[in-house]
Amino acid sequence: MKQHFVETSNHRQFMAAVAAVENRGSPEACILLLTGEPGTGKSCTVDNWGASVDAIYLEGVPGMSLSFLRDYLADQTGVIGRKKFDQYKGTVEFFRANRQPIILDEAQHGLPNKAECIEYLRRIAETANTLLVLICHTSEKHRFSEHRLAHVATRVSAAPELKVASVDDCLAYLNALCEVGVDHSVAQLVHAQSSGRYRLMSNAGRTLEAIAGKKALQQVTAADIKGIRLCEDAMKSLKRGEK
Amino acid sequence: MSHQGQTGARPQGSRISPRTVTIGLRQRAWWVMRRRVTFTLPELLATLADGTERDAISNLGKYVRALEKSGLLMREAARKPGSALTSPGSIRYRLMVDVGRQAPVWRAKNNTVYDPNKQVEYALNAEACDE
């Protein structure tokens, strides 16, 4: 397998959302809420973008308070103030100077106490004219639309949801990374077995290469892999075990 | 008129001061190392390389090994298993010292790693990652 990042449709969707927030009309609506199921490439997409813009990355933890967040920000930015106001002012200056976006992963942990942690970050992002990216699992998305959190919800400019790959995505992904050629019928099989999860598609790609190596093939077709399991979807197995 | 500056040739007797910044792929890799703490080289490449680099595997591999020799990274005992039956797996690294936002600079000539955040140099331990 080749080892490089593949610009999937999810990546394009995320980058379009970033562009939309950067070109927003109202400066206070600086939040991008990114959601997705496991294995849809949230971490990979965000890491790729975060590393390219040198974003400040924070990870929400259960029970996170505002004082915890201030200490966390101070650790990541190197801005330390003797008083809370000094700390806030220094942090805003830091972001104004560097224009680095802020990423808050596991953002649902910032929701208690009327989302005071998220509101604190949003104020910094708004004042420094940068953007705040909140990441959470799809199942937590509805919590951001609660009435008591309207002050946050109304400041979300874009909320892309990363989806599992389509057959076309699967074909593009395999063709970009596999050392052997694959056709649409193979992509359909891989898509069915991997449930469109990139993590599993990567495993399937390695299996395809192994099969091609054994059979000395340059191009794998559906006939070459008939009846062979290319990847194992553990989530499916777990669900089967429940019954 | 001399054209040395245009051709990139170094004037005789001049000394180039050692690098103080790392940019590009290594800078981005450092960002991911700080964020993930434990990682493998294939994971870094799958996240950061875009396929247009001349030799991203060698570039990042050398950088990671230099950081390991400096003590900033540590090689974990267990490898990450590969998918092939005969695969030896990938070496899993752990970030031991998070020096800060700016990526450490590997100075190959001096055999050191320079930390631009605190402006200190780490000597490389040659025995650290010999297999």
Side-chain angles (χ1 to χ4, degrees):
Chain A
M1 289 282 279
K2 293 170 201 159
Q3 292 172 338
H4 63 81
F5 183 74
V6 181
E7 291 187 1
T8 59
S9 58
N10 278 340
H11 177 260
R12 287 192 290 276
Q13 190 192 353
F14 175 69
M15 293 311 294
V18 168
V21 181
E22 280 174 344
N23 298 318
R24 66 192 179 272
S26 53
E28 69 275 14
C30 56
I31 300 178
L32 189 158
L33 177 61
L34 177 71
T35 55
E37 293 288 335
T40 51
K42 282 195 304 290
S43 303
C44 210
T45 303
V46 168
D47 284 358
N48 179 275
W49 175 75
S52 68
V53 294
D54 194 17
I56 294 294
Y57 178 89
L58 307 167
E59 190 163 20
V61 291
M64 183 166 69
S65 65
L66 202 49
S67 59
F68 175 92
L69 181 71
R70 279 199 202 97
D71 291 346
Y72 198 177
L73 258 182
D75 180 58
Q76 293 298 310
T77 58
V79 178
I80 296 164
R82 279 190 302 150
K83 293 183 177 174
K84 285 175 188 170
F85 179 72
D86 294 338
Q87 164 93 40
Y88 176 76
K89 203 175 157 191
T91 308
V92 169
E93 284 304 318
F94 171 87
F95 281 103
R96 232 179 231 156
N98 297 298
R99 298 292 307 274
Q100 289 168 291
I102 307 168
I103 298 173
L104 178 64
D105 201 355
E106 305 291 351
Q108 71 276 9
H109 296 308
L111 290 176
N113 294 329
K114 287 196 169 181
E116 59 175 8
C117 291
I118 292 174
E119 184 59 13
Y120 183 78
L121 292 175
R122 189 198 63 77
R123 290 296 303 222
I124 291 171
E126 179 193 337
T127 319
N129 195 21
T130 183
L131 63 152
L132 170 63
V133 178
L134 304 178
I135 309 166
C136 68
H137 187 266
T138 306
S139 63
E140 305 281 355
K141 189 178 181 180
H142 70 280
R143 294 178 62 189
F144 288 82
S145 59
E146 287 172 19
H147 179 65
R148 66 186 182 89
L149 299 178
H151 59 297
V152 171
T154 54
R155 272 131 183 173
V156 175
S157 280
E161 185 175 339
L162 303 192
K163 306 275 186 199
V164 291
S166 64
V167 177
D168 287 338
D169 283 332
C170 186
L171 181 62
Y173 185 82
L174 291 173
N175 277 329
L177 292 184
C178 254
E179 301 283 358
V180 291
V182 296
D183 59 14
H184 199 265
S185 58
V186 174
Q188 273 180 325
L189 277 171
V190 172
H191 182 259
Q193 291 187 20
S194 66
S195 310
R197 291 200 161 82
Y198 288 98
R199 224 173 265 161
L200 296 174
M201 287 195 298
S202 172
N203 292 346
R206 286 182 196 277
T207 314
L208 286 170
E209 284 178 357
I211 292 166
K214 282 254 182 201
K215 297 184 174 180
L217 300 170
Q218 294 293 315
Q219 175 90 19
V220 180
T221 61
D224 299 316
I225 53 171
K226 196 176 177 187
I228 298 175
R229 177 147 286 280
L230 300 167
C231 58
E232 182 61 45
D233 187 349
M235 279 177 75
K236 266 188 187 170
S237 310
L238 289 171
K239 279 177 188 165
R240 278 199 294 270
E242 277 176 7
K243 289 171 190 171
Chain B
M1 186 183 155
S2 166
H3 292 279
Q4 279 180 334
Q6 289 171 13
T7 57
R10 197 185 307 171
Q12 275 194 342
S14 73
R15 292 184 66 183
I16 290 180
S17 52
R19 279 176 191 277
T20 54
V21 288
T22 277
I23 54 167
L25 192 59
R26 291 179 181 182
Q27 164 72 44
R28 287 182 281 135
W30 177 247
W31 191 94
V32 176
M33 287 180 215
R34 289 183 70 212
R35 177 224 168 307
R36 294 191 184 174
V37 183
T38 53
F39 59 90
T40 64
L41 194 54
E43 283 170 3
L44 286 184
L45 290 161
T47 306
L48 299 169
D50 60 10
T52 60
E53 296 90 355
R54 202 163 50 185
D55 193 352
I57 299 173
S58 165
N59 180 4
L60 275 192
K62 284 176 184 171
Y63 184 59
V64 164
R65 280 188 288 278
L67 295 186
E68 186 193 357
K69 285 181 182 177
S70 71
L72 300 183
L73 300 181
M74 189 193 79
R75 193 179 290 210
E76 292 198 337
R79 284 174 171 247
K80 186 183 178 187
S83 53
L85 281 175
T86 52
S87 168
S90 311
I91 299 166
R92 206 191 290 263
Y93 293 96
R94 172 176 287 273
L95 182 66
M96 299 303 289
V97 186
D98 183 356
V99 293
R101 271 186 50 238
Q102 294 183 70
V105 183
W106 174 37
R107 292 174 170 171
K109 274 189 181 173
N110 301 5
N111 212 26
T112 56
V113 165
Y114 172 72
D115 166 19
N117 302 283
K118 297 189 183 79
Q119 296 167 6
V120 292
E121 268 192 332
Y122 295 84
L124 303 194
N125 175 11
E127 294 168 11
C129 61
D130 290 341
E131 284 191 276

